Amino acid sequence: MRQPLLTSTASYQALQTHALDAKQWQMRDLFAQDPQRFERLSADAAGLFLDYSKNRLDGRTLALLANLARERGVERLRDAMFAGEKINLTEHRAVLHTALRAPKDKQITVDGQDITHDVHAVLERIRTFSDAVRSGQWRGHTGREITDIVNIGIGGSDLGPKMVCLALRQFAHPRLTMHFVSNVDGHDMDAALSRVNPETTLFIIASKTFTTAETMMNANTARSWFLKHASAQSGEQALAKHFVAVSTNVEAIKKFGIDPDNMFPFWDWVGGRYSVWSAIGLPVALCVGYGYFADFLAGAHALDEHFRTAPIEQNLPMILALVGFWNREFLGCPSVSIAPYHQDLNRFPAYLQQLDMESNGKRVTRAGDIITDYETGPVIWGDVGTNGQHAYFQLLHQGTDVTPIDFIAALRPAHEFLNHHAALLANCFAQSEAFMKGKMADEVRLDLAGQGGENSAAEIERLVPHKTFPGNRPSNTILMEYLTPATLGALIALYEHKTFVQGALWDVNSFDQWGVELGKVLAKKIEAELNGASHPEQHDGSTNGLIARAKAAI
Ligand code: G6Q
């Protein structure tokens, strides 16, 4: 059904008028005027605390944004998603990653099929298999315990399990080393294979479709390498002890030579970038054990329940989405930087980059109309603190673009170096304070004048503009007590639902990815040309030139 154009709605127009005022506000003043601002503009749920007080908004802004969410039917769409309606309109699919973390007794059906039962049947198989590998009961073809696990997958079949295994490093099995090969670049495979022993390595081929070119090439290479290096007597039979698959495509798996008993299925209503909760999370269960994997799912479920039931004004994903929407739509911020002040979350920005940009990087509405008069998803990027501070934070403080930042931190560390943790948190909080307050010209002048008279008046005036920070730059801070499987699950779910809410506001389909699909076919033709299997066709001058250079070098 065609929605009224976003910009034509009464609540959007009310926000536009309100923004004319809000653009003049200084956050310093907002804090000075309201001593309760932090209490008022913060909320918590499922072990996560969100401080959004360091944004250029007030209570009225939020009320107007909540009105917009209501007028755009965000709650209705949310309920439709949880109920398994086919809200992925271009692929005619339900969107039910939330069902993957729902408890056994929650009945959810898709096309008349009780999917909770199916989900828990696969979880049971994940439990049995991961227990067997971890305990050493599952052995390689020469009887040795598994020491290395190589996950072969790309995009949604790589970023989630890789990010989570790194984030939960503290909970990892000491005997198992995890490797993730995603790139078709042979250097990626070479780096993994040069570190593992075929007798003690388990390969997981993770691909929803089992047709993705990079994954298939990597899977075939791993298979050949294994057969070449496996003990001569066992050959093909040995494969069963070393290759398992995660997919929705049984036929393709059989063709590849993997026993369907060694296949962990999932379903078309799980989008790739939302699939870490499904059997795509098998590396996580192997790495941290099924118990912690179940805690990870439970943490996400707690956030789901909050998202499903809390009123918009107290609903963490709604708030995060509305604040982000405000910054993007009305304050003109083209990107969002993710700054986890936690080394173990160092792949989290890359994970969110896919989640958000693949979901909301769209230019047509759900009805197919081209969007011309408002912006959709921003660029998402970032790296861990404090590293970013010594690199790109310069632009965030003094560049011409305003980039909102999400700071993420755990209040307690999982190590004993408490002085490090105090320094880490001090940096995190100091940065958000500096972005908000800035450093005004008068403050700079005072500072320079106070430096023992070493600066002349003229020198002070020359330096003032360079040392002035405009401030008034927005940020959110998300805190948890510890980074655990449950808080990590909740954190990911928070961003999944944030992305969902923004997609609903922009009226885009957050669940397809035609841009990725195009990439899947584009390279095939040129690959055949490079391999000499077909004659180069007439491309444009640049592409012809590049192909000719590569052919001359191969
Ligand atoms: C995710 C995307 C994409 C996908 C990969 C891998 O939402 O669809 O990143 O996950 O292209 O696809 P396969 O799992 O089918 O190999």
Side-chain angles (χ1 to χ4, degrees):
M1 204 181 64
R2 189 167 257 104
Q3 282 232 48
L5 189 65
L6 172 66
T7 47
S8 72
T9 57
S11 39
Y12 186 94
Q13 288 171 2
L15 277 158
Q16 253 175 340
T17 312
H18 176 73
L20 296 176
D21 283 343
K23 280 181 189 161
Q24 311 305 319
W25 297 345
Q26 289 293 323
M27 277 190 260
R28 282 177 171 227
D29 301 337
L30 298 177
F31 274 98
Q33 286 154 13
D34 180 5
Q36 299 299 310
R37 185 173 168 86
F38 173 72
E39 285 73 23
R40 260 193 253 286
L41 302 182
S42 57
D44 64 307
L48 303 177
F49 172 80
L50 167 66
D51 168 19
Y52 57 102
S53 61
K54 291 192 182 99
N55 279 283
R56 282 158 69 180
L57 47 75
D58 67 0
R60 170 140 174 82
T61 322
L62 279 172
L64 291 172
L65 286 163
N67 284 349
L68 177 75
R70 290 196 180 91
E71 192 175 347
R72 297 304 278 170
V74 173
E75 295 155 297
R76 204 172 51 242
L77 194 65
R78 171 198 63 191
D79 296 345
M81 173 175 77
F82 276 96
E85 286 178 34
K86 298 195 172 168
I87 63 165
N88 177 354
L89 297 172
T90 59
E91 296 178 304
H92 310 288
R93 287 177 182 165
V95 174
L96 274 171
H97 43 281
T98 52
L100 299 166
R101 50 221 193 192
K104 246 186 188 147
D105 54 5
K106 188 129 187 155
Q107 229 210 354
I108 305 166
T109 51
V110 173
D111 295 329
Q113 173 83 10
D114 172 7
I115 60 164
T116 319
H117 174 267
D118 296 350
V119 165
H120 282 269
V122 175
L123 284 175
E124 213 33 59
R125 289 193 49 213
I126 293 176
R127 179 209 296 270
T128 308
F129 181 68
S130 56
D131 282 356
V133 172
R134 289 167 61 83
S135 68
Q137 186 200 333
W138 178 288
R139 290 176 183 245
H141 68 292
T142 57
R144 294 178 61 186
E145 290 180 340
I146 299 297
T147 58
D148 291 85
I149 292 167
V150 181
N151 189 77
I152 298 177
I154 196 166
S157 301
D158 167 69
L159 288 160
K162 182 172 172 178
M163 181 274 284
V164 174
C165 287
L166 284 167
L168 300 182
R169 159 189 83 78
Q170 296 285 346
F171 302 84
H173 193 293
R175 195 187 66 240
L176 296 174
T177 304
M178 310 301 297
H179 310 261
F180 291 84
V181 177
S182 54
N183 201 336
V184 74
D185 181 348
H187 295 104
D188 201 8
M189 181 59 83
D190 182 56
L193 294 183
S194 64
R195 281 190 225 116
V196 301
N197 176 345
E199 289 182 54
T200 59
T201 299
L202 177 74
F203 292 91
I204 301 173
I205 316 297
S207 175
K208 180 174 167 180
T209 53
F210 227 75
T211 56
T212 304
E214 293 93 326
T215 301
M216 290 304 102
M217 185 172 271
N218 280 328
N220 282 313
T221 301
R223 190 177 189 276
S224 313
W225 175 88
F226 177 80
L227 289 174
K228 188 166 155 207
H229 293 92
S231 113
Q233 314 86 305
S234 4
E236 291 269 347
Q237 278 173 356
L239 277 176
K241 290 282 165 212
H242 295 270
F243 279 77
V244 300
V246 179
S247 187
T248 57
N249 188 347
V250 195
E251 288 314 310
I253 276 168
K254 283 197 214 150
K255 224 162 137 198
F256 181 82
I258 292 182
D259 185 341
D261 283 351
N262 288 347
M263 168 183 164
F264 297 82
F266 65 115
W267 307 273
D268 72 358
W269 41 263
V270 182
R273 55 194 172 277
Y274 299 90
S275 64
V276 67
W277 323 98
S278 71
I280 289 290
L282 181 63
V284 178
L286 286 161
C287 178
V288 302
Y290 185 80
Y292 286 132
F293 184 62
D295 288 352
F296 173 64
L297 300 183
H301 178 66
L303 204 290
D304 291 343
E305 285 302 282
H306 165 76
F307 177 52
R308 210 171 54 76
T309 56
I312 294 180
E313 292 80 356
Q314 284 134 42
N315 192 309
L316 253 59
M318 293 271 194
I319 296 170
L320 200 59
L322 292 171
V323 170
F325 181 85
W326 169 249
N327 288 334
R328 174 76 171 130
E329 221 44 53
F330 297 103
L331 303 183
C333 303
S335 83
V336 175
S337 186
I338 308 294
Y341 276 63
H342 198 306
Q343 186 60 32
D344 295 343
L345 286 174
N346 65 35
R347 293 296 296 167
F348 193 60
Y351 176 81
L352 285 192
Q353 194 168 59
Q354 178 189 32
L355 172 65
D356 197 308
M357 293 172 73
E358 212 168 88
S359 297
N360 290 339
K362 309 285 162 66
R363 55 184 278 285
V364 297
T365 64
R366 277 179 293 173
D369 298 324
I370 294 176
I371 297 167
T372 53
D373 62 349
Y374 60 90
E375 315 296 343
T376 63
V379 172
I380 306 287
W381 60 284
D383 197 358
V384 285
T386 58
N387 297 5
Q389 288 174 216
H390 298 268
Y392 52 79
F393 269 43
Q394 165 60 37
L395 181 148
L396 303 185
H397 281 293
Q398 292 186 304
T400 49
D401 272 324
V402 172
T403 307
I405 303 158
D406 283 358
F407 292 97
I408 302 168
L411 290 172
R412 294 168 189 264
H415 58 70
E416 60 194 23
F417 315 115
L418 296 184
N419 56 335
H420 284 248
H421 200 63
L424 178 79
L425 290 183
N427 272 280
C428 177
F429 302 159
Q431 287 296 325
S432 78
E433 184 178 27
F435 282 114
M436 186 275 283
K437 275 192 177 159
K439 192 165 183 182
M440 301 299 123
D442 284 349
E443 294 166 310
V444 177
R445 262 186 211 104
L446 266 179
D447 256 15
L448 290 171
Q451 287 170 6
E454 64 195 47
N455 294 306
S456 69
E459 178 66 356
I460 289 176
E461 285 315 306
R462 196 179 69 79
L463 289 176
V464 163
H466 297 280
K467 295 194 164 216
T468 298
F469 290 68
N472 215 22
R473 300 199 165 198
S475 68
N476 297 306
T477 301
I478 298 169
L479 299 176
M480 62 201 93
E481 192 174 359
Y482 284 105
L483 180 64
T484 63
T487 53
L488 179 65
L491 183 69
I492 301 171
L494 169 66
Y495 277 96
E496 284 179 349
H497 296 322
K498 172 213 161 176
T499 303
F500 168 85
V501 172
Q502 292 192 334
L505 292 170
W506 284 316
D507 188 24
V508 298
N509 180 6
S510 302
F511 301 105
D512 60 11
Q513 55 284 312
W514 299 105
V516 178
E517 307 307 326
L518 175 67
K520 289 187 178 185
V521 293
L522 271 182
K524 282 207 158 56
K525 200 163 93 183
I526 298 183
E527 188 182 332
E529 292 167 7
L530 284 179
N531 287 333
S534 68
H535 286 298
E537 286 193 17
Q538 278 313 304
H539 300 268
D540 57 275
S542 160
T543 312
N544 284 337
L546 296 171
I547 292 174
R549 282 196 154 235
K551 279 186 85 96
I554 288 172

